[in-house]
Structure formats: C-alpha cells, structure tokens
Amino acid sequence: YYEFKIDMNDPGLAHFSFVEDPEAVRSAIGYPETFILPVCKANNALSKDAKRIKTTEPGILKKEGNQWILNKKAIIEYE
C-alpha cells in the first residue's frame, strides 16, 4: 500500500507515499481505518467511488532502535 524511501543523507529518516495501484486503492477505501487513517491525513472527504489516492505530501518515519515510528502523516487526496 505504501512505498518507502530512506533518506540518503539521514538513514534514520524515511519518506512514504501511497502506491497508486488500483487494487491497493480499492482495499484501502474499503477499510480506511486500517490502511489510511493511521498514517494519512486527507485534504478532501473519502469517496467510495474514488479511483485514485494521490499523495500530495509524503509522510515521514523516524527510526528508533529497530523500529520505524510515524513522525508525520502523509497528506493525500481522493480522486
């Protein structure tokens, strides 16, 4: 559902974006409390008819020990 990119200048930081795969979009929209709401903030209302989830601003994860912790939610739009 998400693509992660580790920051080359700081390997303790990673940015993430929603993957624009039709199956991932259908699943995520069907269960937003599981796949979207914990790590994303939407600029518009969730539409069950949305065909795309566009990341307008990637989220940020920070590594603490052996775990990646959410530092900032990704900003998305339903299209």
Side-chain angles (χ1 to χ4, degrees):
Y1 294 91
Y2 294 93
E3 174 181 63
F4 300 89
K5 294 182 181 178
I6 295 175
D7 189 316
M8 298 303 280
N9 296 317
D10 183 352
L13 285 179
H15 296 85
F16 67 94
S17 302
F18 196 88
V19 174
E20 294 185 27
D21 173 71
E23 184 59 36
V25 170
R26 277 192 296 277
S27 294
I29 288 174
Y31 299 96
E33 65 284 344
T34 300
F35 297 109
I36 300 172
L37 300 177
V39 295
C40 295
K41 180 179 181 205
N43 281 335
N44 57 350
L46 171 63
S47 168
K48 296 289 183 184
D49 297 326
K51 303 288 185 226
R52 184 171 177 230
I53 297 175
K54 177 182 165 188
T55 302
T56 59
E57 190 175 320
I60 300 173
L61 301 170
K62 188 172 186 177
K63 192 169 187 180
E64 293 182 9
N66 290 329
Q67 290 189 322
W68 289 95
I69 306 298
L70 180 66
N71 187 264
K72 180 178 172 235
K73 288 186 173 189
I75 308 298
I76 60 167
E77 290 181 356
Y78 301 102
E79 297 181 342

